[in-house]
Amino acid sequence: METNFTLSIIKPNAVRTGKTGPILSMINEAGFEISAMKMIRLTRSQAERFYAVHAGKPFYESLVDFMSSGPIVVMVLRKENAVEQYRLLMGQTDPQKAAPGTIRHSFGVSVQMNAVHGSDSVENAYRETSFFFSETERYP
Ligand code: CMP
């Protein structure tokens, strides 16, 4: 199944170090339309709910702490086949394995601080966009 939207997050470390603008430029240059966007800070319990699928994994507590450690930028990106296309633009989870030209290769510093999140399936694109955006925010 394909969809024309996906959810992206610029993670706290990337926001803190001034990478928001450069990451948005890469997203624009790759042909995505930013159809909704806001800067927020997650509470710990919101981060726990967002990453509930990883609960119990060794990196879960640390991931939740990190994702609630400062402001993040969340957005809905639109493009044909958006989930897969944005995963290609992000590159692999581990920035050291991400290909040159990808966001994580350019701005990731570790598996946890890998600059950006993107939905990993169409089902999660629906779940994640609804988690962050109301219907009126998503369709400006
Ligand atoms: P993200 O796309 O936000 O989805 C889950 C996150 O968990 C992932 O990016 C990584 O930042 C983080 N993470 C930390 N450790 C691991 C790991 N060993 N394997 C996968 N993801 C990890």
Side-chain angles (χ1 to χ4, degrees), residues 11 51 54 59 63 93 104 111-114 116-118:
K11 295 189 178 186
Y51 280 114
H54 296 299
F59 59 85
L63 176 64
T93 304
R104 285 169 168 165
V111 170
Q112 182 164 275
M113 295 187 191
N114 60 357
V116 285
H117 166 85

Side-chain angles (χ1 to χ4, degrees), residues 62-73:
S62 163
L63 176 64
V64 166
D65 282 342
F66 169 59
M67 289 302 289
S68 55
S69 69
I72 58 174
V73 174

Side-chain angles (χ1 to χ4, degrees), residues 1-106:
M1 201 168 113
E2 291 182 12
T3 186
N4 69 343
F5 69 90
T6 192
L7 187 281
S8 168
I9 305 177
I10 303 178
K11 295 189 178 186
N13 169 265
V15 172
R16 199 179 289 132
T17 57
K19 304 303 189 303
T20 300
I23 290 171
L24 292 177
S25 291
M26 288 180 78
I27 288 170
N28 277 326
E29 278 159 25
F32 291 88
E33 178 196 346
I34 299 172
S35 76
M37 178 165 70
K38 58 189 171 186
M39 182 183 279
I40 57 169
R41 180 168 177 173
L42 290 174
T43 64
R44 203 171 190 288
S45 92
Q46 287 169 333
E48 281 173 354
R49 275 197 289 130
F50 182 73
Y51 280 114
V53 63
H54 296 299
K57 293 184 184 166
F59 59 85
Y60 177 68
E61 292 299 325
S62 163
L63 176 64
V64 166
D65 282 342
F66 169 59
M67 289 302 289
S68 55
S69 69
I72 58 174
V73 174
V74 291
M75 57 197 128
V76 181
L77 302 179
R78 287 189 186 275
K79 190 181 188 183
E80 203 173 310
N81 202 8
V83 169
E84 189 185 334
Q85 288 298 307
Y86 189 57
R87 289 176 66 74
L88 289 172
L89 180 62
M90 287 194 298
Q92 290 200 42
T93 304
D94 180 350
Q96 295 210 11
K97 294 181 186 153
T102 62
I103 296 173
R104 285 169 168 165
H105 179 269
S106 302

